[in-house]
Amino acid sequence: MHNNIWLISLLFTLPQASAETFKVAIYYPQVPPYMYAANDNVPLGVVPELLNAFFDEQPYELEYVFENRQRAELGVYSGKYDATVLAEKWTEEPDALLFTQPIVEHHDYLYSLRPVTDEELTVNSNHSICLRRYYKYTAFSQQLSEGQLIRLDSDSEFDQFNMLVNGRCDLVYMNEHVANWLINNHFPDTHFYRNSVETDKADLTLALHPKWAVLKKRLDAYIREAHRNGLIDRSLARHMRKKPR
């Protein structure tokens, strides 16, 4: 009897194995409506909302780390992070990562304070363009390398628009959802012109370290179902709303 009591006591006092952590690097400065943080630094947006719901059903502890774009990608290669938000075409070593089903289709456009014709953007335009630091821009790689567009880096999309408004560059290149969110919430009195032709598009995905191949299959199925039942569309619409002042 005493032995049984001792065994039961031992079982209750043994340390419980902690769940393996799945560490996601999300960008800082932030990228609303996809990923951003409230004053308490709790991640919000379409991507955290999707991941929170998925990992509620998984035997892993989800952890977010705010990181810049370059270190986030390098961290997934090295295994420091388990995933980050990336499109395959933006990566330096796409074969070294696993990419999920698309979460959102990412459409990019040129923005300016006055109409800019396609002719003005051709040879020898010498327009300055505000871009985000560490981002790879495949749509303008030739123009940037040949000096037809002069790149000025900023640390966030907000800074890109701020530099444009203050006359520090002629153009801004940005995702339409991010641009609309910023215009609604930070630049409501400024009239921006958007180039009528979509410059580039990409599928916004999660890039995972290869060790998570099995989990990726479950995550892909969850993303497909979230598209089918409208979960992602509703999340995007909710996070696109103008914040109350």
Side-chain angles (χ1 to χ4, degrees):
M1 181 67 179
H2 291 293
N3 288 340
N4 289 341
I5 293 173
W6 180 84
L7 285 172
I8 292 169
S9 175
L10 180 63
L11 287 173
F12 277 100
T13 56
L14 283 174
Q16 299 297 310
S18 58
E20 186 175 0
T21 299
F22 188 91
K23 193 174 291 187
V24 180
I26 56 177
Y27 299 164
Y28 188 88
Q30 304 155 33
V31 190
Y34 302 139
M35 44 190 166
Y36 58 104
N39 293 333
D40 55 5
N41 279 333
V42 174
L44 302 171
V46 177
V47 174
E49 206 166 271
L50 180 77
L51 288 177
N52 291 344
F54 172 72
F55 277 95
D56 278 347
E57 304 171 1
Q58 304 302 319
Y60 304 108
E61 182 180 343
L62 179 61
E63 180 183 341
Y64 294 106
V65 178
F66 289 105
E67 187 61 277
N68 74 37
R69 159 71 179 80
Q70 185 181 48
R71 287 197 294 263
E73 180 178 346
L74 293 175
V76 181
Y77 293 137
S78 69
K80 178 181 180 180
Y81 304 124
D82 298 300
T84 191
V85 180
L86 272 178
E88 183 172 356
K89 66 192 295 183
W90 301 338
T91 60
E92 296 296 332
E93 300 178 46
D95 292 340
L97 303 173
L98 303 176
F99 298 91
T100 65
Q101 289 288 305
I103 299 171
V104 178
E105 192 170 64
H106 190 284
H107 297 262
D108 296 325
Y109 292 89
L110 284 168
Y111 294 84
S112 59
L113 296 181
R114 64 172 184 82
V116 177
T117 65
D118 291 340
E119 288 74 21
E120 288 182 84
L121 298 174
T122 55
V123 179
N124 298 323
S125 69
N126 292 320
H127 281 85
S128 56
I129 182 168
C130 284
L131 301 173
R132 186 156 173 175
R133 196 180 316 278
Y134 305 124
Y135 278 32
K136 179 180 176 182
Y137 293 93
T138 55
F140 299 113
S141 55
Q142 182 176 347
Q143 292 95 320
L144 290 167
S145 64
E146 294 178 358
Q148 295 167 19
L149 288 174
I150 301 165
R151 176 171 183 157
L152 298 176
D153 280 337
S154 64
D155 289 321
S156 71
E157 281 82 354
F158 172 83
D159 288 345
Q160 284 179 260
F161 267 158
N162 209 32
M163 290 169 72
L164 178 66
V165 168
N166 286 289
R168 294 178 60 191
C169 55
D170 304 312
L171 301 165
V172 158
Y173 185 57
M174 195 180 299
N175 167 269
E176 61 176 330
H177 294 137
V178 179
N180 289 341
W181 190 95
L182 286 169
I183 291 167
N184 287 338
N185 289 286
H186 291 287
F187 300 93
D189 301 321
T190 303
H191 184 72
F192 294 93
Y193 290 89
R194 190 181 87 175
N195 190 296
S196 60
V197 179
E198 173 192 298
T199 306
D200 197 14
K201 67 179 180 180
D203 289 327
L204 195 65
T205 63
L206 284 163
L208 279 67
H209 188 277
K211 74 175 184 178
W212 294 102
V214 173
L215 182 69
K216 175 190 172 297
K217 293 178 181 178
R218 298 201 293 268
L219 182 54
D220 282 342
Y222 190 86
I223 293 171
R224 284 193 292 267
E225 177 61 17
H227 279 296
R228 190 196 65 77
N229 63 26
L231 180 69
I232 290 175
D233 286 342
R234 291 193 299 273
S235 177
L236 180 59
R238 185 167 56 256
H239 290 287
M240 283 295 296
R241 290 176 192 155
K242 187 174 181 179
K243 296 185 300 183
R245 290 186 177 276

